[in-house]
Amino acid sequence: MIELTEEMQDLMNNALLNGTPCILTTSSASGDLTIGFRGSMMAWQSDCLAYWERGKGQSLDHLEDGGNAAVILRNPELRKGWKFFGKGTVLRDGPIRDAIMSRVVKPEMDRDPDQEGFAVILTLDRVEDLGGRPLMARQ
């Protein structure tokens, strides 16, 4: 069962403000990879992350085509961090997209003044510590 702890949620929701933005990697169905920072990553539900996709590049293509996603969060000052693995759902419009957008940190939304980005929900399959030891898994 996946149930993000309060500590995980707090560090995820404040990652950019803490100077520790998350790193997202995605893979296509054929195995192509891409990686990049996501300052808008947030804990969305107890078993989901969400972020604002404004780049509309390979990550978006991978997730829309059913590829996999992994996110790493590391806060070196607190010596805390985790790896999150799952699948993404892209929301191009609708009330959930708008709800996610309303929670995106201001510095990230300032980079999308016309609000043309998309919301992405990552439904988690497993969570590991930074050493790769399993902490949680979807059953």
Side-chain angles (χ1 to χ4, degrees), residues 57-69:
Q58 281 185 310
S59 292
L60 184 65
D61 293 339
H62 291 171
L63 296 175
E64 287 189 312
D65 291 340
N68 294 309

Side-chain angles (χ1 to χ4, degrees), residues 38 40 51-57 60 64 89-94 96-102 104 108-120:
R38 291 298 184 278
S40 61
Y51 70 94
W52 189 249
E53 177 60 58
R54 59 184 167 76
K56 302 177 187 169
L60 184 65
E64 287 189 312
T89 302
V90 177
L91 304 167
R92 293 177 175 267
D93 55 33
I96 297 173
R97 173 202 180 262
D98 295 344
I100 290 169
M101 181 177 62
S102 75
V104 174
E108 282 297 309
M109 283 313 302
D110 287 350
R111 293 183 176 122
D112 187 6
D114 297 325
Q115 302 177 353
E116 295 177 345
F118 307 129
V120 177

